[in-house]
Every structure is written in C-alpha cells, then in structure tokens.
Amino acid sequence: MIRWLERQFTCHAPVDDFLVSEKAAGLADGSTIVIVGGGLAGSAFARQMLMLCHKEKKRYQIYLINSTGCNYCGGLVTDLALQTLNTLYGQGIAEDVVLKKVQTCVYINSEGSFKIRIGIPMMATLRTSRFGFIGMDDSLKTRILEGLDEEVWPYLKIVEPTLVNKLTPPQETGNGCWRVTTSIIMEDGQHQAIDCDLLVLATGFRSLNRPMLKEFSQVTGYVPPPVMESSVTEIDTGSARFNNIGKDMCIIDGVIPGAVIALIPKGSGWLTLTSLGKKLTKGDLEQLFRHPVFKQHLDLDDVGEHLRCHTICPAAIFTGEADNFYGDGWVMLGDLTGYGRVLKDGYFGSFLGAYLAAHTAVYRGIMREDWRVHYHRPLRGFEIGNRVGMLLFNFNQKLNGISWFNRFFMAAAQSEGGRDNWGGPIHAAVRGITTGTIPYLLIGVFFICGLLRHLVFHPIKTWQHIRKPT
Ligand SMILES: Cc1cc2nc3c(=O)[nH]c(=O)nc-3n(C[C@H](O)[C@H](O)[C@H](O)COP(=O)(O)OP(=O)(O)OC[C@H]3O[C@@H](n4cnc5c(N)ncnc54)[C@H](O)[C@@H]3O)c2cc1C
C-alpha cells in the first residue's frame, strides 16, 4: 500500500512540449542576451536558448558572464533533477562528476536511529571543481554546447572569470538596452560594457548583499525571497575510529538544537555536511560528534581539525518566493526567484525555471506581462506545496525539542519493517524528504499515519516510551 501510494504520487519530470505549436514571435532575431551568473540556472538557460536558436533558426548573441570562486559544496542530485535535465536539456550527468551513489539513509535524532531504503539512487557530487574533482555546476557549464548543432556554437561567448559590477537601466543608457559593466578593463582604460536587449540575472544568493544587486533592486523594485540560515562544510573522516555511514546519507534531526543536518558521502573517508535552520559553529560540530547516538555511527575526535577547508561556510536557502523578479527586458532565474521546492532539490527548480524563461523569451516576448503569464504563472505551481513544506519544517523544529516525542517517533519508525525492509508510513515520509520524490502534503500525511498507527497498535509501548525518564 505504501509503495503503491509512493509510486502513484511520484513527481515526474516535465515534458518538453511547452508551446511547441506556437510561432517564435518573441525576442527578435539578432538580439543580444547577457546572462549574469554561470551557476546551474545561468548555464541551463544558455543551453536552452541555443537549442531554441537551432530549432527556430534564430541568431542570438549570448554572453554568459560568470565570476568563479567557491560555490559551496552541497551537490545531491535527485532523480527528478536528473530526469528534468534529460527531458528538457537532452543531457545526462557526466560520469566523472558522480562521487558516490546514495541508496540508503540513516535518520538520527537524540533518542536513536533507523535506516531507510531509497528506491532510485541519488548522485553525490561537488558543485565547484575543488579537491581535484570536477563539480556539477562546472561540468554543466563546460558542456553547454554538448550535442548541439555546430551552427549555434558561435552564438555563445562565456566570459569568465569576470565580475559584473554595474547594471545600468535603459532609461539611463538612452538606447533602450540594459548596459552590463564588467570588471574587465579595456584598452581605453574603461571597464568593458555590453548593451543587451535581454538581461538575465542568475547570480544566486551570494550576490544578495553586493552593491550591484542592491542598486538593481532599488531601480527595479526586485524583492529577494525570504531565506533560512544554513551552512556547509567538508569533513575528512579518514582517521575515524569507527565509521558506519560511509555509504549512507544521514539526516540528523534536532541533535543540535534548531538544526537539521544532512551528511552526504563523497568517497571513502569524506562527508559533506549541510545544515538547515542554523549556521553551525565548530562548537556545534564538536557537540554533534560527541553525542552518544551519533557516536554509534561515526566516531571521530576533534572534528574541527578535520574540515577540508578549515571552515564552515555560511549559506542561505529560500523559504518562499521573491517579488518583482522580472520586468521589461529583464528576468531573474534560479535561487534569486525563490521558486523551486523549498528545502530540497534546488537543481530541479533551476532547470525548470530556466527552461520556462527561455521559451517565454523566444515564443512570447520579454516584457513584464510575457514573463508574468508564461514564466511566473507556471512556477506558481510550487507555492502551495512549499507552504506545506515550511509548515512541516517549522512544526518539526518545535517537536524535536521534546524528548518524549523523539522517543515516541523513534519507536514508531523502528517498529516499521514492511516487505524487503521498505518500512511503513514513517519510512516513506523520511524517504520523501530525502529524495524529493513525493509532495510535501503526502509526506505530512505519512508522518501522521505512521504515528497514529503506532499509537493504535502499540498503546502500552507508546505509553512506556512517553513515560521513560530522560
Ligand atoms: C549549502 C547548500 C547546499 C545545497 N545542496 C543542494 C543539493 O544537494 N541539491 C540540490 O538540488 N540543491 C542544493 N542546493 C541548492 C542549489 O545549489 C541551488 O538552488 C542552485 O545551485 C541555484 O543555482 P543558481 O544558478 O541560481 O545560483 P548559484 O549556483 O549560486 O550560481 C550563481 C553564479 O553566479 C556567479 N555570480 C554571482 N555574482 C556575480 C557577478 N556579479 N558577476 C558574475 N557572476 C556572478 C557566481 O559565481 C555563481 O557561479 C544547495 C544550496 C546550498 C546553499
């Protein structure tokens, strides 16, 4: 029954049939497009535009301007993101990018742990090329032209590493174009400036506090999405006394108050740690690695000495939507829009958004109303699910400070066996959170059913767990 429900409600990749019957009546042939930011969203948009150039016989001049540098580690690629990359962009993930395939997940709270099976494996990657391995974001950027007709290759110019530091609106340039000024100094001593018919911003959250984006917000009325604190670091576990999670992903819920932590295996003796809800300090990490339940899975002394970059990077993830993220002749993509599924699967949201924006530009137009109807409206499909997702997250944050509830929850989850150890509703809910395959609403229903089931079938055990002194 649980398996059947999971299968029925699995989220599938969108089909590439958007406006296929329309005539390309949008952005005029020969237009110049500048994409600022070559992360996942910017690169995906560039590829989609080139695909449409070939299909509709357009000759756009596309500049992709990207500042390099570390772009965090993260890097769990879900099956939905992979399918979307495949169906909408005709690409797969490069073999050399995958550091590990994750097929099991250990859930840990302060009272115990249980293991869940994951149906279709997820790919553990790096985002930026560091530590001698190519990252997912870099890989996609270098493969933008892969498999595309050679005729469109000259239409793309990647300008990197280059920082865009000013965006001048059409009302100031006087020629109806946005002017993009970069850090490159030209022969005449002036900064390089490119005038464009369409400006695409995909600079991610690290750009939020930079002057360029602040000025842009003042001019256009762009309001960034609400964000939640998070952090990320890489841990070398090679010298662990004991390591039982080398192949599994791990979710550690509430052991550090206010934080949901994910550990993602990247190779033997190598884990990426990401936290949601709190920016972790080295003190938090020490506390986690001293916790008796966690120690049963991984025993590593002085974790602060084993961070591959000697630091824990602060990061942000969106918890809702941005306002005014498009206008006449400009549009934003990726994280800056706040559209995608909250708390998971940013790659999927970026791929889908870039696809919709490219199709809107080519088939409909680049004015505010075009974006509103053909880009924003389809993205609004995320909104209700995301409200439920945030509700679940906030509710969980409250509950996991209550020890009797943690014991009850753990006992209920541990009592679920199921056929082939697939588990019952609680396993399905945790699997849904980990893999992103089912909607948040169903995840919530699974949690409630799992807890009620335990309460009804094991009332005495439940009472004992609740009563057990801490
Ligand atoms: C810690 C962390 C872990 C994550 N883990 C996962 C995960 O496991 N799976 C998943 O699906 N999603 C994950 N996400 C979310 C996912 O990474 C993002 O949703 C996705 O990368 C968004 O891509 P983007 O292109 O919008 O922005 P980014 O990836 O941030 O790219 C922005 C790019 O713009 C460039 N740039 C910025 N300013 C300028 C400028 N002024 N001039 C030129 N270039 C500029 C930057 O160098 C960068 O290359 C994670 C996010 C975080 C913060």
Side-chain angles (χ1 to χ4, degrees), residues 150-294:
E150 283 186 25
E151 165 206 34
V152 301
W153 291 8
Y155 303 167
L156 177 69
K157 283 195 171 54
I158 297 183
V159 188
E160 187 185 50
T162 301
L163 193 71
V164 168
N165 36 38
K166 191 163 175 55
L167 300 167
T168 313
Q171 52 271 32
E172 282 179 42
T173 60
N175 61 4
C177 293
W178 278 91
R179 181 163 301 149
V180 178
T181 308
T182 76
S183 54
I184 297 176
I185 310 277
M186 307 299 282
E187 281 173 2
D188 60 4
Q190 300 290 311
H191 284 270
Q192 178 196 41
I194 307 168
D195 285 359
C196 60
D197 304 290
L198 172 60
L199 170 68
V200 180
L201 276 181
T203 50
F205 284 148
R206 281 197 162 175
S207 62
L208 276 187
N209 293 321
R210 302 237 174 92
M212 178 201 76
L213 207 62
K214 286 192 166 167
E215 279 174 30
F216 184 82
S217 294
Q218 278 168 7
V219 173
T220 59
Y222 165 66
V223 182
V227 292
M228 176 192 283
E229 274 195 336
S230 69
S231 56
V232 60
T233 190
E234 302 287 315
I235 305 173
D236 181 349
T237 54
S239 54
R241 217 170 287 131
F242 174 71
N243 184 356
N244 205 19
I245 53 174
K247 289 197 300 295
D248 307 322
M249 186 185 158
C250 217
I251 294 181
I252 305 149
D253 194 4
V255 172
I256 302 301
V260 178
I261 295 171
L263 290 177
I264 303 163
K266 291 282 166 74
S268 58
W270 183 359
L271 290 172
T272 295
L273 178 149
T274 59
S275 71
L276 294 181
K278 185 176 186 205
K279 179 198 167 311
L280 296 189
T281 60
K282 285 191 181 173
D284 291 324
L285 281 194
E286 300 288 353
Q287 189 186 337
L288 171 66
F289 277 70
R290 276 198 306 268
H291 194 279
V293 176
F294 186 71

Side-chain angles (χ1 to χ4, degrees), residues 37 39-41 66-67 71 75-76 127 162 164 202-203 334-335 345-347 350:
L40 232 71
N66 188 46
S67 62
N71 205 15
L76 241 203
R127 287 179 57 190
T162 301
V164 168
T203 50
D335 277 354
D345 218 359
Y347 299 161
S350 296

Side-chain angles (χ1 to χ4, degrees), residues 438-465:
I438 54 172
Y440 275 122
L441 194 59
L442 186 60
I443 291 174
V445 171
F446 276 150
F447 271 129
I448 293 167
C449 290
L451 294 174
L452 285 178
R453 180 177 161 274
H454 192 66
L455 190 65
V456 170
F457 289 111
H458 307 284
I460 296 169
K461 274 192 190 160
T462 303
W463 179 241
Q464 283 166 346
H465 281 123

Side-chain angles (χ1 to χ4, degrees), residues 14 133 149 211 221 276 285 317 345 372 381 398 437 470:
F133 297 96
D149 196 291
L276 294 181
L285 281 194
I317 52 151
D345 218 359
R372 189 184 71 73
K398 292 211 162 57
T437 46
T470 46

